[in-house]
Amino acid sequence: MDGIKHRKVAVNGINMHIAEKGEGPVVLFLHGFPELWYSWRHQILALSDRGYHCVAPDLRGYGQTDAPASIESYTSFHIVDDLVALIHSLQVEKVFLVGHDWGAIIAWYLCMLHPEMVKAYVCLSVPFLRRNPTVPTVDAMRALYGDNYYICRFQKPGEMEAEMAAAGTKYVLQNILTTRKPGPPILPPGEFVFNPDMKDTLPSWLTDEDLDYFVSNFERTGFTGSLNYYRNFNRNWELEAPYSGVKIKVPVRFITGELDMVYTSLGLKEYIHDGRFKEDVPNLEHIIIQTGVAHFNTMETPEDVTNHIYTFITKFDFHSI
């Protein structure tokens, strides 16, 4: 679409598909679940026209990027290594980083492990997740919301894949992408209902063509690769132990919708606003809460998200990347 180019890059033992457009400083976009590079289509077009080299991969296990078979191949540390290799392949030392949902989590890990590679980070939806030194991540979520909390339900290999297959790929993606229900998503066993208020018609920001692009990709790949990210939450918690208490020093702007299911769960709204987020991320410069906006804000409010990215990254030396 509109001059976006596609190619495969060999990174960290896999072949990664990237979409890219433009010349100039690199802006690296990291998508979430259940998404693809395509979630950034609006930002790629707008920012490439403003003098940036926009790069959006399908992350490991998604879309046209390879999907290793083992669950253990999907830790955040594996995916960070994919991105380090990708950045090296672009022949730059630093990038502007933009991440949403799982892409935001991976971006926090990249900022933690390789801060020298990140000029600034625009984070959407998922703030820095402070490590609990005594309780693994999924155990803490189960204690808070029970066994039917969606992340807990995603843990058993094959179980959620079977429910998604029974519901149908198009239904699953439409059900998740159009949800506007705040608070913790609860998925009782049986019929897949992430969004109980799903309408037959799509919202104005998601066309039939858009949905078809997601559906065609996930029909080909299935959901196992994307679900394996969730199945590594506790393994990530173990691997992260040496970094417990670390401060993220890169400059950060945070953007989320007031209806976002993450913002309204897990005590994160309080964490974001009571000073703890700023304590963990000392160079957090702005917190932007979008009125009336839900989780998939890169697509729901593309111009607003693009403008927030642009006004933040242009504060930094344009020619030093």
Side-chain angles (χ1 to χ4, degrees), residues 42-43 50 297-308:
H42 305 294
Q43 288 75 33
R50 300 184 193 183
N297 55 350
T298 69
M299 296 184 284
E300 183 181 347
T301 56
E303 290 186 6
D304 191 46
V305 167
T306 296
N307 289 334
H308 283 307

Side-chain angles (χ1 to χ4, degrees), residues 59-178:
L59 294 177
R60 171 181 292 236
Y62 282 89
Q64 297 177 55
T65 293
D66 289 351
S70 69
I71 293 173
E72 295 81 6
S73 297
Y74 291 84
T75 73
S76 294
F77 288 72
H78 284 85
I79 300 154
V80 164
D81 286 346
D82 295 346
L83 298 175
V84 169
L86 173 60
I87 292 168
H88 287 322
S89 80
L90 297 171
Q91 299 184 322
V92 295
E93 294 183 359
K94 293 175 179 282
V95 299
F96 288 116
L97 191 59
V98 185
H100 173 259
D101 187 78
W102 256 108
I105 296 174
I106 300 302
W108 286 118
Y109 275 98
L110 182 60
C111 291
M112 179 176 71
L113 298 171
H114 298 282
E116 75 284 355
M117 302 186 81
V118 181
K119 186 71 172 180
Y121 172 32
V122 179
C123 174
L124 288 84
S125 179
V126 184
F128 183 73
L129 300 177
R130 179 184 285 188
R131 183 180 185 273
N132 184 324
T134 59
V135 183
T137 307
V138 177
D139 299 30
M141 292 173 174
R142 182 173 283 110
L144 189 60
Y145 293 132
D147 291 338
N148 291 339
Y149 181 55
Y150 79 110
I151 290 175
C152 300
R153 291 274 286 112
F154 285 178
Q155 294 303 306
K156 186 176 179 181
E159 184 175 84
M160 187 52 59
E161 287 94 327
E163 290 192 15
M164 288 174 157
T169 303
K170 183 173 183 179
Y171 169 84
V172 167
L173 288 167
Q174 182 173 343
N175 193 253
I176 297 175
L177 292 174
T178 61

